[in-house]
Amino acid sequence: MTHTLNQPRNSTKSSSFRVDLQGLRALAVLLVMCYHIWFSKVSGGVDIFLMLSAFFLTSSTARRISRGERPPLITGWLHRFSRLIPQAAVVIVSVVVAAWIILPSTRWLELIDQSKASLFYQQNWYLANHQVDYYAFNTSSASPLQHFWSLSVQGQIFILWPVVLAFSVLIWKLFFSRFNFAWVAGAFFSAVFIGSLAFSINITANNQQVAYFHTGARLWEFALGSLLALALPWLSTLPEKIRRIAGWAGMITIVASGAVLDVQGQFPGFMALIPTMAAALIIAAPATRAWANPSGVLSLKPLVKLGDLSYGMYLWHWPMLVFYLEVSGNQKASFLAGTLLIAASIAASWCTTRFVEKPVIAWQNNLAFPHWMPSTGLKAISQIAVVAIGLGIASLSVTAWENNVEHRRALAASQTATDNPGATAPEDWDPAPAALTLPLATELADEWQTPGNPCAGSNNPDDERIMFCEQGGNFDGSPDLVMLGDSHMQHWSAAAAAAMEESGGSWILVFHPGCRYGSDADRDEAECANFQDAAEEYVADLAPKMVLTTASKTVAAPDEYLRSPGEQETIVDHYAEAIQPFLDAGSQVIAMRDTPRYTYSIPECVDSNPSHLEACDGSAHEALAQINPVQEFLAQHDYGQQVVSLDMTGLLCPEGVCKAVIGNVSTYLDDSHLSKTFVLSAKRQFAEAFKKATGWQ
């Protein structure tokens, strides 16, 4: 009998099967769905699923051992995965097709990787390695396959747990056969429980995002289920009244856990003991269906039926929610929309259970073999075929998606410079209808700019507080230009570097993402404060001819006083004090105006509106101050030509319209950073503006 989120089908006829635990599955999955859909939270229901899966696996294995049978390994693995994979494969194929059609291509590569990880039970490690915040639910980051993390953990345990049980049997028979098997296996699972729980508490305290997906941090939940399975015969001898009261307490705790517990900050450490121990109290409660017992409620036919569908309900609800929010543009589902999503998830689960899972199981169970053929071996072959077909069909859909991405890359590579002139496009230029806009939304990871080589020799900061330093050009003493700031300085670096190198000069780029030089507001973060202190000393000691910094600060959205982003643009706080050491060293400071910011991703908007690119444009009047704050700053200080202004707004926002696409090139790689492709196309305009401002030749 395969016991997981959807189990079992035929086992409801078994005298050893407890229908109330199907109801417990239904309760857990309904809590998961409700908290995901309406509260953007996690309920603890998944922890119950994980514990239950080990409870059933250990119970069934213990019964086999009590009958003198060996615990199954290969046949057990095939039995479980041949039942798990068909529905999972259908969901993955459906998500691939829907994402291909609905989601912007900025998210395709990640979803292709996640599809493979989900299909082969590695999604939890993918999410852990990529530091995905499971709780940061929004349409720009939530993956429709994110929920496969728990199924991946469960699949890994379904491989490991039979090995642990088989090893326990071996040790029991060799050394402790005079004892009950439960004591030997219990010792193993107790060690796993203690070790994993200690690890879980530690990693949750230090890196909760990784802990949430880490198999090692979840092993104790499975060990708890196994310990409960082994101890249940003894627990059943306790007074019925005590078990009944404890069971109701467990029921109340499970329902309330999601609302009361800080799942986001404290799971899966010791706090996850609360829902799992609550479920254990329900399992240990009297199993009779009397209304006085929790099992009486959990054995209600509707709950039992939903328990049969719980695996599919879990599989379907999350991608349906993600796609609904993406299409609707809503941040949350309303009560009506959420109710419809739950109903749709139940309906989809019924369909895949009725028309995919059950026929596959029936086919495996009812295969007719000649009397001279070993039925066990041939049944294993049929299970291998089910696993292979399921994995194969899902893999084909992912491969087709990958091939589409590669085809678009090939088309983009075959385009000529006249198809994507970017900033050099003449006013009367008209793109070819078939020409793709560059950069492709799938290639944005390559659009961050680091145009040179790591700083070396006398230019090496040799200060661990400066983590990002690049250099280029011909050095003869001090550098001609130092670019200093955050990622908004970085995104002009390719053009500035080209301007210096083409005139025979040298340059250095020193930056720290999210750390605007001169800004006290950014110094609240210790790492940023350290960078600013180190960078000030480093650049002043270099005494370059010029220092280029971003001098104004733009924002994307209205503030609490309903001031527009343009009304909020201002000079960097403490900018005068920040640049004074460079002026004292004899450097000319180039105070550059910040670029406009958007509340949405430009490439995603362009990808979604290929025929109406103007829908992605912004208004310079809304995004930027009417008077450049840098000009106002210079008017208030007597710097002469030692501090000059550089403003590229005219390039980005011709005639007051901040363009999402110029010359068939996307200007931004996200909502606030310029794409390398566009910046390189604008290097002539940048060089002209730079020389005009500074007098550099």
Side-chain angles (χ1 to χ4, degrees), residues 85 89 119 156 179 213 228 297 318 359 361 444 446 463 491 507 530 557 578 581 656 662:
I85 286 177
L119 190 59
Q156 293 159 24
F179 295 103
F213 305 115
L228 178 62
V297 175
W318 182 266
I361 294 174
L444 296 176
D446 298 326
D463 190 324
H491 71 200
W507 59 270
N530 290 334
I662 296 177

Side-chain angles (χ1 to χ4, degrees), residues 562-636:
L562 300 182
R563 294 185 302 164
S564 70
E567 292 173 318
Q568 298 176 67
E569 185 188 8
T570 184
I571 199 75
V572 171
D573 49 305
H574 297 283
Y575 186 70
E577 295 93 326
I579 63 173
Q580 191 59 48
F582 311 146
L583 302 179
D584 294 341
S587 301
Q588 182 186 44
V589 173
I590 307 154
M592 191 172 190
R593 189 179 195 180
D594 200 2
T595 49
R597 300 171 188 256
Y598 295 80
T599 57
Y600 50 89
S601 167
I602 292 295
E604 287 192 8
C605 182
V606 169
D607 201 51
S608 302
N609 299 276
S611 301
H612 302 282
L613 297 178
E614 66 279 0
C616 305
D617 294 341
S619 166
H621 175 75
E622 286 292 320
L624 299 170
Q626 297 304 298
I627 300 175
N628 182 355
V630 178
Q631 295 290 357
E632 293 182 324
F633 171 77
L634 293 180
Q636 298 167 6

Side-chain angles (χ1 to χ4, degrees), residues 111 139-140 163 219 274 366 408 419 455 553 596 617 644 690:
L111 275 174
T139 54
S140 65
V163 175
L219 284 174
I274 295 176
N366 299 324
R408 286 168 57 85
D419 291 320
C455 294
K553 296 177 68 174
D617 294 341
V644 296
F690 184 87

Side-chain angles (χ1 to χ4, degrees), residues 42-168:
V42 183
S43 66
V46 169
D47 302 88
I48 297 172
F49 284 143
L50 300 182
M51 190 269 283
L52 275 174
S53 63
F55 171 81
F56 285 118
L57 191 154
T58 305
S59 296
S60 61
T61 302
R63 286 195 295 271
R64 294 176 69 101
I65 294 170
S66 68
R67 296 194 297 265
E69 301 175 15
R70 291 183 300 176
L73 282 179
I74 295 176
T75 56
W77 292 331
L78 290 174
H79 175 75
R80 290 181 181 87
F81 286 105
S82 65
R83 297 191 173 201
L84 290 173
I85 286 177
Q87 280 206 76
V90 171
V91 172
I92 290 173
V93 170
S94 301
V95 167
V96 166
V97 173
W100 197 344
I101 296 171
I102 295 173
L103 297 184
S105 54
T106 51
R107 298 167 64 182
W108 286 4
L109 293 182
E110 180 184 11
L111 275 174
I112 287 171
D113 289 340
Q114 288 200 29
S115 298
K116 297 175 184 176
S118 298
L119 190 59
F120 294 99
Y121 293 90
Q122 298 175 332
Q123 175 73 322
N124 64 312
W125 292 116
Y126 178 92
L127 297 176
N129 291 335
H130 288 76
Q131 292 281 296
V132 172
D133 187 350
Y134 190 65
Y135 317 101
F137 188 89
N138 57 72
T139 54
S140 65
S141 65
S143 161
L145 292 173
Q146 206 161 293
H147 65 317
F148 266 79
W149 74 267
S150 64
L151 302 176
S152 296
V153 173
Q154 193 176 52
Q156 293 159 24
I157 297 302
F158 281 159
I159 294 174
L160 174 63
W161 237 233
V163 175
V164 175
L165 285 164
F167 184 72
S168 300

Side-chain angles (χ1 to χ4, degrees), residues 180 398 437 593 682 693:
N180 190 304
V398 178
T437 299
R593 189 179 195 180

